[in-house]
Amino acid sequence: MPEPFYFGDPQRLLFGLRHPAEPLPSSAMLVCGPLLKEGIRCQRALWSLGQALAAQGTETMRFDWHGSGDSAGGSLDISLPGLVSDLTTANEHMRRTQGQVRRRVLGLRSAAVPVLLQASSCAIPVDLVLWAPVFDGRALVASWRQQHARQLHGAGRFLKTPLPADDNELLGFEVQAAFLEALQEFQCDQALLPAGSRILLVQWRTSDSTDEFLHRQRAAGVAVECLPLELEDEPDWDNPDHFETQIFPRRAVARVAAHLAEAA
């Protein structure tokens, strides 16, 4: 049975959800959900992943970023340095509670940005799972803005004259311009992991930026493994007609869980 709890600084409490492995965990996984609207839409998929991993012996912990979900703060409090700090706090909590078992961090979609920034600042090797990661912050913010405009003007959501776009609102979240500016500055070549680290890259499709990222990591002494997923199972992330539907690629979740359990 999943166990909810709060952890971290009392002035910046984070909400966590533990999927306990029974009887004893053989490994542990910290699961980081994507940012803003995608984080809401992926809840069911990440819940199912956590349950599947726990059933196969991997203790799994998910958490809400500060300013989102059931964590303290509001969306205006979200910042890129704050996200990196949240991840450091969650990592430390898992280290204290899980002891010497193998610990990995999984980042889905836009969660790859704070995951890579935090991991690249570490002095010791890290063990990451990047699922359909975002490597280009400028393209990420541009796609969010495009989807926001489509929801206001092209998706038929408003019967009357559509409201004008607000520069501080994005897909139902009021955010600081500085947060989006920091995201836009992110490029994957900024994130070089410590030698001896490991990456499992899970993806439906590859790209030039993905290949370049993997080449740089290998050259730095990082072990890289790729897990391809069936292309027909890739969710239509930007479909304006599915804006509020849950994203739950069942076969992909099952395959990722099975692969991670085998590697634990």
Side-chain angles (χ1 to χ4, degrees), residues 141-158 162-166 169-171 240 243:
V141 174
S143 69
W144 282 348
R145 291 197 185 280
Q146 183 181 42
Q147 177 69 277
H148 184 74
R150 291 169 74 183
Q151 292 302 318
L152 286 177
H153 306 297
R157 296 174 64 85
F158 301 97
L163 298 174
D166 188 332
E169 184 182 356
L170 194 60
L171 299 174
F243 178 67

Side-chain angles (χ1 to χ4, degrees), residues 166-205:
D166 188 332
D167 289 341
N168 291 329
E169 184 182 356
L170 194 60
L171 299 174
F173 290 83
E174 191 176 9
V175 294
Q176 297 282 1
F179 170 51
L180 298 181
E181 291 168 2
L183 277 179
Q184 289 180 101
E185 292 175 1
F186 174 80
Q187 296 292 329
C188 62
D189 57 8
Q190 301 173 10
L192 200 59
L193 303 189
S197 296
R198 292 186 286 191
I199 295 176
L200 171 63
L201 182 65
V202 182
Q203 56 185 357
W204 283 281
R205 64 181 72 229

Side-chain angles (χ1 to χ4, degrees), residues 212-225:
E212 179 183 348
F213 170 79
L214 295 182
H215 175 75
R216 286 173 54 83
Q217 300 302 327
R218 289 191 178 104
V222 176
V224 175
E225 179 187 3

